[in-house]
Amino acid sequence: MSLANGRPYLAIPGPSVMPDRVLAAMHRAAPNIYEGELPDMMPALWADLKDLAGTTGSVAAYIGNGHAVWEAANANMFSRGDKALVLAVGQFGRSWAQSALQMGIEVEMIDFGKSTPVDMARVTATLRADTAGKIKAVLMTQVDTASSIRTDIAALRAAIDAAGHPALLAVDCIASLGCDEYRMDAWGVDVTVAASQKGLMTPPGMGFVWFSDKARAATKTSDLRTPYWNWTPRADAAEFWQLWGGTGPTHHLFGLREALTMIKQEGLENVWARHDCLARAVWAAFDAWSAGNPEIGLNVANPADRARAVTAARFGAPHATRLREWCEHKAGVTLGIGLGMAEASDPAYHGFLRVAHMGHVNAHMTLGALAVMEAAMIALDIPHGSGGLAAAATVVAKGA
Amino acid sequence: MSLANGRPYLAIPGPSVMPDRVLAAMHRAAPNIYEGELPDMMPALWADLKDLAGTTGSVAAYIGNGHAVWEAANANMFSRGDKALVLAVGQFGRSWAQSALQMGIEVEMIDFGKSTPVDMARVTATLRADTAGKIKAVLMTQVDTASSIRTDIAALRAAIDAAGHPALLAVDCIASLGCDEYRMDAWGVDVTVAASQKGLMTPPGMGFVWFSDKARAATKTSDLRTPYWNWTPRADAAEFWQLWGGTGPTHHLFGLREALTMIKQEGLENVWARHDCLARAVWAAFDAWSAGNPEIGLNVANPADRARAVTAARFGAPHATRLREWCEHKAGVTLGIGLGMAEASDPAYHGFLRVAHMGHVNAHMTLGALAVMEAAMIALDIPHGSGGLAAAATVVAKGA
Amino acid sequence: MSLANGRPYLAIPGPSVMPDRVLAAMHRAAPNIYEGELPDMMPALWADLKDLAGTTGSVAAYIGNGHAVWEAANANMFSRGDKALVLAVGQFGRSWAQSALQMGIEVEMIDFGKSTPVDMARVTATLRADTAGKIKAVLMTQVDTASSIRTDIAALRAAIDAAGHPALLAVDCIASLGCDEYRMDAWGVDVTVAASQKGLMTPPGMGFVWFSDKARAATKTSDLRTPYWNWTPRADAAEFWQLWGGTGPTHHLFGLREALTMIKQEGLENVWARHDCLARAVWAAFDAWSAGNPEIGLNVANPADRARAVTAARFGAPHATRLREWCEHKAGVTLGIGLGMAEASDPAYHGFLRVAHMGHVNAHMTLGALAVMEAAMIALDIPHGSGGLAAAATVVAKGA
Amino acid sequence: MSLANGRPYLAIPGPSVMPDRVLAAMHRAAPNIYEGELPDMMPALWADLKDLAGTTGSVAAYIGNGHAVWEAANANMFSRGDKALVLAVGQFGRSWAQSALQMGIEVEMIDFGKSTPVDMARVTATLRADTAGKIKAVLMTQVDTASSIRTDIAALRAAIDAAGHPALLAVDCIASLGCDEYRMDAWGVDVTVAASQKGLMTPPGMGFVWFSDKARAATKTSDLRTPYWNWTPRADAAEFWQLWGGTGPTHHLFGLREALTMIKQEGLENVWARHDCLARAVWAAFDAWSAGNPEIGLNVANPADRARAVTAARFGAPHATRLREWCEHKAGVTLGIGLGMAEASDPAYHGFLRVAHMGHVNAHMTLGALAVMEAAMIALDIPHGSGGLAAAATVVAKGA
């Protein structure tokens, strides 16, 4: 017998749950792209996109996914032979480095493993060592979707400044924008990349690159630009089609408009606070479950280093896989698989999973997911500490 | 700050959560009503409706709500001056009695209050006392949506038979069909009424009356029939429009088709078992919460008398209202208000609420609702016993 | 080969084409019915419904279809044995008479056939002859959907007044409201009935009865009322549920709200003018087609007597049926079948069809339907006059 | 007064009319991207995509638009300094050339103007003159969306072969795939590009590049490839995410699946025949309108050189603009603006427009658009010949 028949909850770290309002906004006839509602709504939409990232700089949009905006950022920032310093705290930092490398950019990567945050002193030291000034930009994830490590971006800026190095700071906010606090201008970020399908609550298909005036100036002669990736004509577009370097993603735009309106209606700081509280509820449950059960545990030790959008955790192979399958088939909750950090002892990732709490997510959804996970542990005889659900409910009670 | 922004969960006892598949099926251009897909799909739809009620008898459908099918059943079963025996265990039994009374039917109502099931012996005695045979039919709710009392319909049939009385047995399954086990023919029911918006997971707007051959024969000369309520031309329709006594509810029908397909895909007995398990999870939470806290408690003492679709509970005025409001505005769960059984000490119903677990509902939704309720009790300092969520999760773990 | 694959156009006289905005408004999660958006929007919705009918009187809404509101109007206006004068100019007048008759109302029907408007002098004479004042109400269609005859309601009121008879005037606007000009109060109408699925552009499932203070007063003691049909508690409802005598049609209401907003945005007089012009375009095409081809022709000779919502026409059996089938299967246009007025020479109605131009219909849709009909006549070798499409385009050119 | 309120018809050459089935398929919760329905449906979807293009080769898909797949094709085919021969018969050929040029490819463009098809002899001569074999590929539009010129691709292949030149043949089918007959393998095409929003009836957001084994082999060492554009890992993907070089366009894929199913259900040859017949209906109307009115006329003289998906036409400035505005605001039809071929005498393109008949389009839609155009000419006193609508209806009658 299954108790899964009802509204399923997709708790993977992207695509996230699409709000009914967003899906409804996308369900419409194809619009005129030359005049009328769609072109007319773009200026306000672009203003809202900049507010979301906390910048008064520029934004270029792409029909593309996260990998597309990595490549877009790379193509605009670098010329062939320029050097990127990549700080990896999980799978996605390493992937961005790969993207740069394959484009002909020289890459220096510091890989901090899968559970350890960036060592800021080492960043400063590395930049200081670059006396030739070959490093054009530092590439960093705010949240690595695989490890769920969150990086202190303001601290990273300070570490770069401490070295007196002119490198641009480029931040991947794909998994964090609209979830974790982010202030592009205030934190001194030069380039930010994000995509539609996580905190922006819109189906996969659009990516965005925000860039500062400093980045615009510093990259004027970059030679990796192609017509599709070139951010200037998109950011400075006079016509609707130029925003997209061709036909725009008509239906996605109506979805994004609705999603940004929802964020504005709630208030961006309230959105961050909601994610923060739900993340802490998840952590509280894990703290209780792991008490006396070392096989269970959060991937990131220090709360300050943890994402508010997604939580990676260990369950002891093969328990993570068994638990995920039970939750999906018996109770209607799909959790995220482990990604990118398999160990020799668990090559197929049966001891690792991820719980998303990203975007359109409320106390009911998150507490329900935790309750289903506890039911799974009971059903599957996975040893775990007691009191996890009450602890999570208490966090919610105090935070709401 | 609110943690409600995400997918809201409407946990009121109807309208219930509409499945995405049902809403999608209704989102379509108006169809041709004279030929094609819509008329063609009716025979299988009617067969499925009969299977759902467990009958090989007839079914008449109405554009209408629950009150409409009460009136339809009354208009077909009774002539002016006939007598109905109504057994009330909550608000809805009393309302059906009112409907009959206002139509010119003589009504004898036995009101068992708001927390007590039917006393079968008293039914038998009442029928035995009707030596003149004035009672044409016994009207009963399988589940009273207000009190959440479930009646043992097979036992009621036995009680009628014990009296040797020929009265028809008419059962209101509005809140129970597709949730609680129901077997119209096996249990000797003559007339069943239900509506679309609860276990049938389709928006309000359609009602159904199933009737046995015995009911058809016994009511041939009933004089309360009008063209709209007359069940015969609808049940025996040759043309699509006759099924509806005029224009049919085109879009609802595509929704209902999808809902019945979902029930068939899951299996009706599995649907019942799912509701049974989720109901028991709710009860388990309440058992823990009420331990040592007599203000909290289920409305129905005996599990055998409890609905599997909805649970009515006390929280001590004004805690129920405060809790409902917190759950809705802080956490995204809308619980049902108390209905129809206010007491002198709580005229505005601030000490009573209802949790629905009806239709398109899975472990995630129900456990999440319970966790949110516990968070509310913590946030509002409503004294309650501990361990409710773990107890509910355990029921789910064992049942799934 | 077929040229039908594309957006089909359903040009039957109800259900009409549902606007995308209406369907989108209905595609939503079930709402709370006790408080919030849905109950809150009812006062403005009811005000708009009254504006639509041109009355400051009362409106009662029903989950039901056109047949339901006939019965509702009958149940409120009449007591058993009261007499109705029904003026039939097509199928639907006769059906309303049947409804009254089966409810125990005495019916005097004057049947003017299928192509002839009401003879007002005969109405006056009939009422004058009712010296006993037995006739409680005159029942009339503004537009008979089958014959497409439109009745001059103001003239009918004058004819009743000329007789000095106190009878109520009840008008069926099911096929005309929101299409043909209608002014309930100005024209002295006491009771108006309509349903959602034609000019109101919302799926079948709701009906409405508007009634004047005079009708309210004159019917206080009518004994055919039942709880479901009684218009008073619905019109005077204090709570949301009372508007519907039980659970309201949640999703339909959001659809209706959108439809009435569309009508307001266009302006009701503009809506009427649009229908008037499109109807004249259809007539112009038929005038050209029928020139020299007497088998082709409009059912109603005098333009003043023609509906602006639907046009009934002859094509000479079996041409109407062949033409309808070609249009649907080859070109994507579904025309209406003939209804209710078959002749001995054509029992299966192969010489009659109806073209709807009702509700959400623009010049493109109507001109396209006419062009497809002409293509069908060419393909099927149905003799017809030339210049029909140019004539229709000219009407549109002058009217737009 | 306006006659536009009804279902608008967007007759611009892309985005085309999205079928209700496609929009409905996209209106769904975010799916799991790691397993289940979405990954499972990809093999059959890819097979259908290849059938659509008429190839047994490979297909790589991109989140992107038409400009994206131009760049993708360029990046895979060329190394820096390679030469492309571009044959331009309108705006889009010139744009593809620009894309190549800006990527560092040497471009030789033969521009045939805006109304003249490719001179095949000149192609052969040009290739013969390339004795150094610098030309790596010939780039050609099957249909130029701006001029509506259709190129005979088989003849172009023959022209290349006649020169004995090994150049790859790359064809832009963005405006023609799923509309005009196309047979990639049979016609000897090496690379085909298309996008979702025209004949594929799916919102903008996806593009496709099909490539032959010959193209795969010939481009192994191309050095313009980047991780995003590289077609090999996409075409040879083992995992769902590799198909998209990252997160896939979840909702678009369900839409595309439905669109391809619709094409299969109709039969691709029937789809081509439908477009051919509707195009001829449009031409017939123009032939009549232009008789004696030289200001009106089709852009392409020879029917063999005309697209079946879109028709470009002159109306004499400023008539085209006035006509377009009247059709949109008065009658509900949005026609396409002129693009990319303005003349000195008409810099703002007031004498040129385009009528799309592309994708989800039937006889009703096209004939209705023509009838609306004729109404506009009458209303605006634009001189035109008579009989256009009857002529178009006759083409439909004979073709259907």
Side-chain angles (χ1 to χ4, degrees):
Chain A
M1 213 257 298
S2 166
L3 300 173
N5 283 300
R7 244 184 175 178
Y9 173 34
L10 185 74
I12 66 174
S16 63
V17 172
M18 301 301 149
D20 286 354
R21 286 172 59 177
V22 169
L23 293 174
M26 295 178 65
H27 191 150
R28 52 182 298 152
N32 193 350
I33 54 176
Y34 297 110
E35 60 177 10
E37 184 181 4
L38 183 61
D40 291 350
M41 82 185 194
M42 299 312 288
L45 187 61
W46 255 228
D48 288 345
L49 272 176
K50 292 184 195 176
D51 286 349
L52 187 68
T55 187
T56 59
S58 302
V59 62
Y62 297 86
I63 304 184
N65 52 21
H67 286 63
V69 287
W70 283 343
E71 181 156 327
N74 293 343
N76 282 285
M77 288 191 291
F78 298 102
S79 290
R80 273 173 209 92
D82 280 348
K83 189 167 173 181
L85 173 62
V86 182
L87 311 172
V89 294
Q91 162 73 14
F92 288 90
R94 293 201 295 271
S95 294
W96 196 0
Q98 274 301 313
S99 165
L101 200 60
Q102 290 175 23
M103 293 174 77
I105 300 160
E106 191 178 326
V107 171
E108 177 168 356
M109 181 168 71
I110 312 181
D111 194 330
F112 296 91
K114 73 171 192 188
S115 305
T116 313
V118 168
D119 175 350
M120 295 297 170
R122 198 166 153 198
V123 174
T124 303
T126 303
L127 290 168
R128 277 189 183 137
D130 178 37
T131 50
K134 260 211 91 183
I135 294 174
K136 184 82 177 289
V138 179
L139 312 189
M140 183 68 225
T141 50
Q142 182 184 24
V143 163
D144 190 286
T145 328
S147 67
S148 75
I149 290 177
R150 182 172 82 165
T151 298
D152 182 337
I153 300 299
L156 179 54
R157 174 81 263 169
I160 297 170
D161 292 347
H165 196 287
L168 298 172
L169 171 56
V171 180
D172 166 349
C173 293
I174 294 170
S176 58
L177 195 72
C179 306
D180 282 88
E181 182 180 354
Y182 187 71
R183 303 181 186 276
M184 179 171 170
D185 288 358
W187 293 351
V189 178
D190 297 300
V191 176
T192 301
V193 302
S196 54
Q197 73 269 17
K198 306 204 179 187
L200 275 62
M201 305 181 291
T202 304
M206 284 184 303
F208 307 95
V209 182
W210 294 258
F211 54 100
S212 66
D213 291 345
K214 177 185 161 191
R216 184 192 282 256
T219 60
K220 275 226 165 90
T221 59
S222 298
D223 71 5
L224 278 168
R225 279 198 185 94
T226 61
Y228 198 76
W229 297 132
N230 192 349
W231 65 23
T232 314
R234 291 173 185 253
D236 302 343
E239 309 267 351
F240 177 72
W241 75 269
Q242 293 170 318
L243 289 166
W244 303 98
T247 303
T250 50
H251 291 67
H252 268 77
L253 282 167
F254 291 106
L256 181 67
R257 174 63 279 172
E258 193 65 23
L260 295 188
T261 297
M262 291 175 71
I263 289 174
K264 287 178 76 171
Q265 287 172 341
E266 184 174 358
L268 183 54
E269 305 222 348
N270 291 330
V271 171
W272 294 338
R274 171 165 55 81
H275 282 85
D276 179 71
C277 182
L278 295 177
R280 288 185 289 108
V282 172
W283 306 342
F286 271 92
D287 285 347
W289 292 336
S290 64
N293 293 279
E295 284 214 321
I296 299 179
L298 297 176
N299 184 50
V300 185
N302 185 349
D305 300 326
R306 291 179 193 154
R308 268 61 176 173
V310 56
T311 295
R314 288 173 292 103
F315 268 91
H319 287 336
T321 295
R322 294 175 64 223
L323 188 142
R324 281 194 304 102
E325 289 174 351
W326 194 96
C327 290
E328 178 162 8
H329 299 299
K330 294 292 191 178
V333 176
T334 302
L335 299 168
I337 59 172
L339 204 66
M341 295 169 302
E343 297 175 356
S345 62
D346 179 19
Y349 250 115
H350 294 311
F352 207 85
L353 56 73
R354 293 175 294 162
V355 186
H357 27 91
M358 177 184 273
H360 191 55
V361 61
N362 61 21
H364 174 250
M365 294 156 85
T366 297
L367 291 179
L370 294 171
V372 161
M373 290 172 72
E374 181 156 314
M377 288 186 275
I378 298 167
L380 299 170
D381 282 323
I382 300 175
H384 61 284
S386 66
L389 301 183
T394 301
V395 171
V396 162
K398 296 196 170 149
Chain B
M1 213 259 295
S2 167
L3 300 173
N5 284 300
R7 244 183 175 179
Y9 173 33
L10 185 72
I12 66 174
S16 61
V17 173
M18 300 302 148
D20 286 354
R21 285 171 61 176
V22 168
L23 292 173
M26 294 178 67
H27 191 149
R28 54 183 297 154
N32 194 351
I33 54 177
Y34 297 110
E35 59 177 12
E37 184 182 3
L38 183 60
D40 291 351
M41 82 184 194
M42 300 310 290
L45 187 61
W46 254 229
D48 288 345
L49 272 176
K50 291 184 194 177
D51 286 349
L52 186 68
T55 186
T56 60
S58 303
V59 62
Y62 297 86
I63 303 184
N65 54 21
H67 285 65
V69 288
W70 283 344
E71 182 156 325
N74 291 342
N76 281 286
M77 287 191 291
F78 298 103
S79 291
R80 276 174 205 91
D82 278 352
K83 191 168 173 180
L85 175 62
V86 181
L87 311 172
V89 295
Q91 161 72 13
F92 288 91
R94 293 201 296 270
S95 294
W96 196 0
Q98 273 301 313
S99 165
L101 199 62
Q102 290 174 26
M103 293 174 76
I105 300 159
E106 192 178 326
V107 171
E108 177 169 354
M109 181 168 72
I110 310 181
D111 193 331
F112 295 92
K114 74 170 190 187
S115 304
T116 314
V118 167
D119 175 351
M120 295 297 172
R122 199 166 152 197
V123 175
T124 303
T126 303
L127 289 168
R128 277 189 182 135
D130 177 39
T131 49
K134 261 211 88 183
I135 295 173
K136 184 81 177 291
V138 178
L139 312 189
M140 185 67 224
T141 49
Q142 182 184 23
V143 163
D144 189 286
T145 328
S147 67
S148 73
I149 291 177
R150 184 172 81 165
T151 297
D152 183 337
I153 299 299
L156 178 56
R157 175 81 263 169
I160 297 169
D161 291 348
H165 194 288
L168 297 171
L169 173 56
V171 179
D172 166 349
C173 293
I174 293 170
S176 58
L177 197 71
C179 306
D180 283 88
E181 182 181 356
Y182 187 72
R183 304 181 187 274
M184 179 170 169
D185 287 359
W187 293 352
V189 178
D190 297 299
V191 175
T192 301
V193 302
S196 54
Q197 74 267 20
K198 306 203 179 190
L200 274 61
M201 306 182 290
T202 306
M206 286 185 301
F208 307 94
V209 182
W210 294 258
F211 54 98
S212 66
D213 291 346
K214 178 184 160 192
R216 184 191 282 257
T219 61
K220 276 231 164 87
T221 59
S222 298
D223 71 5
L224 279 168
R225 279 199 185 92
T226 61
Y228 198 75
W229 298 131
N230 192 350
W231 65 22
T232 314
R234 290 173 185 254
D236 301 344
E239 308 268 352
F240 177 71
W241 74 270
Q242 293 170 318
L243 289 166
W244 303 99
T247 304
T250 49
H251 291 66
H252 269 77
L253 282 166
F254 289 107
L256 180 67
R257 173 65 278 170
E258 193 64 23
L260 295 188
T261 297
M262 290 174 71
I263 290 174
K264 286 177 78 170
Q265 286 172 340
E266 183 175 0
L268 184 54
E269 305 222 348
N270 291 330
V271 172
W272 294 338
R274 173 166 54 82
H275 282 85
D276 178 71
C277 182
L278 295 177
R280 286 185 290 105
V282 173
W283 306 342
F286 272 93
D287 285 347
W289 292 337
S290 65
N293 294 279
E295 283 214 323
I296 299 177
L298 297 176
N299 184 51
V300 185
N302 185 347
D305 300 325
R306 292 178 192 154
R308 268 60 175 174
V310 56
T311 295
R314 287 173 291 105
F315 268 91
H319 287 337
T321 296
R322 293 175 65 222
L323 188 143
R324 279 195 304 102
E325 289 174 351
W326 194 97
C327 291
E328 179 162 6
H329 299 300
K330 293 292 192 180
V333 176
T334 301
L335 299 168
I337 59 172
L339 204 68
M341 296 171 300
E343 296 178 357
S345 61
D346 180 19
Y349 249 113
H350 292 311
F352 207 87
L353 57 72
R354 292 174 296 162
V355 186
H357 27 91
M358 175 185 275
H360 190 57
V361 60
N362 61 22
H364 174 251
M365 295 156 84
T366 296
L367 292 179
L370 295 171
V372 161
M373 291 172 72
E374 183 157 313
M377 288 187 276
I378 297 167
L380 300 170
D381 281 325
I382 301 176
H384 62 283
S386 66
L389 301 183
T394 302
V395 172
V396 163
K398 297 197 168 148
Chain C
M1 212 257 295
S2 166
L3 301 173
N5 283 300
R7 247 185 173 177
Y9 173 34
L10 186 72
I12 66 174
S16 62
V17 172
M18 301 301 150
D20 286 355
R21 286 172 60 176
V22 168
L23 293 173
M26 295 179 65
H27 192 150
R28 53 183 297 152
N32 193 351
I33 54 176
Y34 297 111
E35 59 177 13
E37 183 183 5
L38 182 61
D40 291 351
M41 83 184 192
M42 299 311 288
L45 187 61
W46 254 228
D48 287 345
L49 272 176
K50 291 184 195 177
D51 285 350
L52 187 67
T55 186
T56 60
S58 303
V59 62
Y62 296 87
I63 304 182
N65 52 21
H67 286 65
V69 287
W70 283 342
E71 182 157 326
N74 292 341
N76 282 284
M77 288 192 290
F78 298 102
S79 289
R80 274 172 209 92
D82 279 350
K83 190 168 172 181
L85 174 62
V86 181
L87 310 172
V89 294
Q91 160 74 12
F92 288 92
R94 293 201 296 270
S95 294
W96 196 359
Q98 274 299 314
S99 165
L101 199 63
Q102 291 174 25
M103 295 173 78
I105 299 160
E106 191 178 327
V107 171
E108 177 170 354
M109 181 167 74
I110 312 181
D111 194 330
F112 295 92
K114 75 170 188 185
S115 304
T116 312
V118 168
D119 174 351
M120 294 298 170
R122 198 167 153 197
V123 175
T124 304
T126 303
L127 290 167
R128 279 192 181 132
D130 178 37
T131 49
K134 262 211 91 184
I135 294 174
K136 187 76 177 294
V138 177
L139 312 189
M140 184 67 226
T141 50
Q142 182 184 23
V143 163
D144 191 285
T145 328
S147 68
S148 75
I149 291 177
R150 182 172 84 165
T151 297
D152 182 337
I153 300 298
L156 179 55
R157 174 80 264 169
I160 297 170
D161 291 349
H165 195 287
L168 298 172
L169 172 56
V171 179
D172 166 348
C173 293
I174 294 171
S176 58
L177 197 71
C179 305
D180 282 88
E181 182 181 355
Y182 186 71
R183 304 181 186 275
M184 178 172 169
D185 288 359
W187 293 351
V189 178
D190 297 299
V191 175
T192 302
V193 303
S196 54
Q197 73 270 17
K198 306 203 178 188
L200 276 62
M201 306 181 290
T202 305
M206 286 186 301
F208 307 95
V209 182
W210 293 258
F211 54 99
S212 65
D213 291 346
K214 178 184 160 193
R216 185 190 282 257
T219 60
K220 276 227 163 89
T221 57
S222 297
D223 71 5
L224 277 168
R225 279 197 184 92
T226 62
Y228 198 74
W229 297 133
N230 192 349
W231 65 23
T232 315
R234 291 175 185 251
D236 301 344
E239 309 266 353
F240 177 72
W241 75 268
Q242 293 170 317
L243 289 167
W244 303 100
T247 303
T250 50
H251 290 65
H252 268 77
L253 281 166
F254 290 107
L256 181 66
R257 173 65 277 169
E258 194 64 23
L260 294 188
T261 296
M262 290 174 70
I263 289 174
K264 286 177 76 170
Q265 288 172 339
E266 184 174 357
L268 184 54
E269 304 222 350
N270 291 331
V271 171
W272 294 337
R274 173 167 51 84
H275 282 83
D276 179 70
C277 182
L278 295 177
R280 286 186 290 107
V282 172
W283 306 341
F286 272 93
D287 285 347
W289 292 337
S290 64
N293 294 279
E295 284 214 322
I296 300 179
L298 297 175
N299 185 49
V300 185
N302 185 347
D305 299 326
R306 291 179 193 154
R308 268 60 174 174
V310 57
T311 296
R314 288 173 290 107
F315 268 89
H319 288 335
T321 295
R322 294 174 66 221
L323 187 144
R324 282 196 302 101
E325 290 174 351
W326 194 96
C327 290
E328 179 161 7
H329 299 299
K330 293 292 191 178
V333 176
T334 302
L335 299 167
I337 58 172
L339 205 68
M341 296 168 302
E343 297 176 358
S345 61
D346 179 20
Y349 250 114
H350 293 313
F352 208 87
L353 56 72
R354 291 175 296 160
V355 186
H357 28 91
M358 177 184 272
H360 191 56
V361 60
N362 60 21
H364 174 251
M365 294 156 85
T366 296
L367 291 180
L370 295 172
V372 161
M373 290 171 74
E374 182 157 314
M377 289 185 276
I378 298 167
L380 300 170
D381 281 324
I382 301 176
H384 61 284
S386 66
L389 301 183
T394 301
V395 171
V396 162
K398 297 198 169 147
Chain D
M1 211 257 297
S2 166
L3 300 174
N5 283 299
R7 245 182 175 180
Y9 172 35
L10 186 72
I12 67 174
S16 63
V17 172
M18 301 301 150
D20 286 355
R21 286 172 61 177
V22 168
L23 292 173
M26 294 178 67
H27 191 150
R28 52 182 299 151
N32 193 351
I33 55 176
Y34 296 110
E35 59 177 11
E37 184 182 4
L38 182 61
D40 291 351
M41 82 185 192
M42 298 312 288
L45 187 62
W46 255 229
D48 288 344
L49 273 176
K50 291 185 196 176
D51 287 347
L52 186 68
T55 185
T56 59
S58 304
V59 62
Y62 297 86
I63 304 184
N65 51 22
H67 286 64
V69 287
W70 283 342
E71 182 157 327
N74 291 343
N76 281 285
M77 288 191 291
F78 298 103
S79 291
R80 275 173 209 91
D82 279 350
K83 188 167 173 182
L85 173 62
V86 181
L87 310 173
V89 294
Q91 161 73 12
F92 288 91
R94 293 200 294 270
S95 295
W96 196 0
Q98 272 301 313
S99 166
L101 199 61
Q102 292 174 24
M103 294 174 78
I105 299 160
E106 189 178 330
V107 171
E108 175 170 356
M109 180 168 72
I110 311 179
D111 194 330
F112 296 92
K114 73 172 190 184
S115 304
T116 312
V118 168
D119 174 350
M120 296 297 171
R122 198 166 152 197
V123 175
T124 303
T126 303
L127 290 168
R128 278 192 181 133
D130 178 39
T131 49
K134 260 210 91 182
I135 294 172
K136 186 77 177 291
V138 177
L139 313 188
M140 183 67 226
T141 49
Q142 183 184 23
V143 163
D144 190 286
T145 328
S147 67
S148 74
I149 292 176
R150 183 172 83 165
T151 297
D152 182 337
I153 300 300
L156 178 56
R157 175 80 266 168
I160 298 170
D161 291 349
H165 195 287
L168 297 172
L169 172 56
V171 179
D172 166 348
C173 294
I174 294 170
S176 59
L177 196 72
C179 306
D180 282 89
E181 181 180 356
Y182 187 71
R183 304 181 186 275
M184 179 171 169
D185 288 359
W187 293 350
V189 178
D190 297 298
V191 175
T192 301
V193 303
S196 54
Q197 72 268 17
K198 306 203 179 188
L200 274 62
M201 306 181 290
T202 305
M206 286 186 302
F208 307 95
V209 182
W210 293 258
F211 54 100
S212 65
D213 291 347
K214 176 184 162 194
R216 183 190 283 255
T219 61
K220 274 225 164 92
T221 59
S222 298
D223 71 5
L224 279 167
R225 279 198 186 91
T226 61
Y228 198 75
W229 297 132
N230 192 349
W231 65 24
T232 315
R234 292 175 184 252
D236 301 344
E239 308 267 351
F240 177 72
W241 76 268
Q242 294 171 315
L243 289 166
W244 302 99
T247 303
T250 49
H251 291 66
H252 268 79
L253 282 166
F254 290 108
L256 181 67
R257 173 65 278 168
E258 194 65 23
L260 295 188
T261 298
M262 290 174 72
I263 289 174
K264 287 176 77 172
Q265 287 172 339
E266 183 174 357
L268 184 53
E269 304 222 349
N270 291 329
V271 171
W272 295 337
R274 172 166 53 81
H275 281 83
D276 178 71
C277 182
L278 295 177
R280 287 185 289 106
V282 172
W283 307 341
F286 271 92
D287 285 346
W289 292 337
S290 64
N293 295 279
E295 285 215 321
I296 301 178
L298 297 175
N299 185 50
V300 186
N302 185 349
D305 299 326
R306 292 179 192 155
R308 268 60 175 173
V310 56
T311 296
R314 288 173 290 106
F315 269 90
H319 288 337
T321 295
R322 294 174 66 222
L323 188 144
R324 279 196 304 100
E325 291 174 351
W326 194 96
C327 291
E328 177 161 9
H329 299 299
K330 294 293 191 177
V333 175
T334 301
L335 299 168
I337 59 172
L339 206 68
M341 295 169 302
E343 298 177 356
S345 61
D346 179 20
Y349 249 115
H350 293 312
F352 207 88
L353 57 72
R354 291 175 296 160
V355 187
H357 27 91
M358 177 185 272
H360 190 56
V361 59
N362 61 21
H364 174 250
M365 296 157 83
T366 296
L367 291 180
L370 295 172
V372 161
M373 290 172 73
E374 180 157 314
M377 288 186 275
I378 297 168
L380 300 170
D381 281 325
I382 301 176
H384 61 282
S386 66
L389 301 183
T394 301
V395 171
V396 163
K398 296 199 170 148

